[in-house]
Amino acid sequence: MTLFFYIIIGIITFIAFLHAWAGKEFEINRTVVINRPKDEVFNIVRQLRKEHLWIPWFKNDFNGNLKYSGEDGKMDALLYWKGHKTFYEGTQKITKINQGKIIETKILVVKPVRMVLIEYKGLKEIDENKTKIVWGIKGGLAFPLSVMALIYPVDKAYGEKLEEGLKNLKVFMETKNEKSSLKVFPSEK
């Protein structure tokens, strides 16, 4: 019985050591060049109501509820979702806008694990019909996510989703087809 307790204490100590050693903050981003003017690209990425057209978390496997408040694309506009497979419930609020250059949102995931993330999209005009966009996410990792990130890094877990989203945005913008095969959500459910 004593050996059993030593093994349990050893496992707990090992996990605590991993948590102390693991990084608590992360930042990942991806970049793409879109063959459209910067203002045109910015007008799409600033709108919370149009995120479902290109962001993979909403585009691929979302069957829940979406609710919006505030003036879309402006400071303090808010998106609330419930029913997502991975991020069951949360909000996204526009916290910073530098017209035509950057938009920053604060994402609060309530379930399954409480997380606060900053999502940003920065745009730079390469020429009048080419725009470079950087899409990134940064935030903190609480226990047990910090330990899990040692085994499955955040960049690997979400980097592919950022790349997929930027590819979707590029196709959407360059084909300029608002009635594409992409799933469209009504304004509220």
Side-chain angles (χ1 to χ4, degrees), residues 87-181:
F87 306 110
Y88 185 74
E89 182 178 4
T91 63
Q92 180 179 10
K93 182 178 184 177
I94 297 176
T95 56
K96 179 181 177 182
I97 294 179
N98 186 339
Q99 188 60 37
K101 294 181 181 175
I102 192 164
I103 182 166
E104 193 172 276
T105 65
K106 181 178 182 179
I107 298 173
L108 171 62
V109 178
V110 180
K111 290 181 184 177
V113 177
R114 185 175 170 84
M115 291 189 307
V116 178
L117 309 168
I118 301 296
E119 182 238 17
Y120 58 90
K121 301 168 195 106
L123 289 86
K124 182 179 180 182
E125 185 175 78
I126 295 174
D127 66 35
E128 66 181 43
N129 284 317
K130 279 191 177 188
T131 304
K132 178 180 178 181
I133 179 169
V134 177
W135 182 27
I137 300 172
K138 57 186 173 182
L141 295 171
F143 182 81
L145 297 177
S146 60
V147 175
M148 290 169 53
L150 292 172
I151 299 163
Y152 194 63
V154 176
D155 191 73
K156 186 175 181 182
Y158 297 112
E160 291 175 3
K161 291 289 190 179
L162 294 179
E163 289 172 13
E164 180 185 344
L166 288 173
K167 285 178 189 173
N168 292 341
L169 179 62
K170 182 175 175 71
V171 168
F172 175 75
M173 293 301 299
E174 291 179 359
T175 59
K176 201 78 169 117
N177 185 1
E178 293 281 339
K179 294 179 181 173
S180 67
S181 63

Side-chain angles (χ1 to χ4, degrees), residues 43-68:
N43 284 333
I44 293 296
V45 299
R46 73 181 174 91
Q47 296 181 49
L48 298 175
R49 290 181 191 263
K50 293 209 175 175
E51 286 188 339
H52 68 275
L53 296 172
W54 60 278
I55 291 183
W57 291 285
F58 289 120
K59 181 179 165 285
N60 294 340
D61 58 0
F62 186 77
N63 274 335
N65 295 325
L66 295 175
K67 294 182 183 176
Y68 301 90

Side-chain angles (χ1 to χ4, degrees), residues 49 52 65-69 79-80 184-189:
R49 290 181 191 263
H52 68 275
N65 295 325
L66 295 175
K67 294 182 183 176
Y68 301 90
S69 67
L79 163 64
Y80 166 80
V184 176
F185 291 107
S187 61
E188 290 195 25
K189 278 190 173 180

Side-chain angles (χ1 to χ4, degrees), residues 4-23:
F4 175 73
F5 288 117
Y6 284 131
I7 291 172
I8 295 296
I9 290 171
I11 291 171
I12 291 171
T13 304
F14 180 69
I15 292 172
F17 171 75
L18 288 177
H19 175 64
W21 183 59

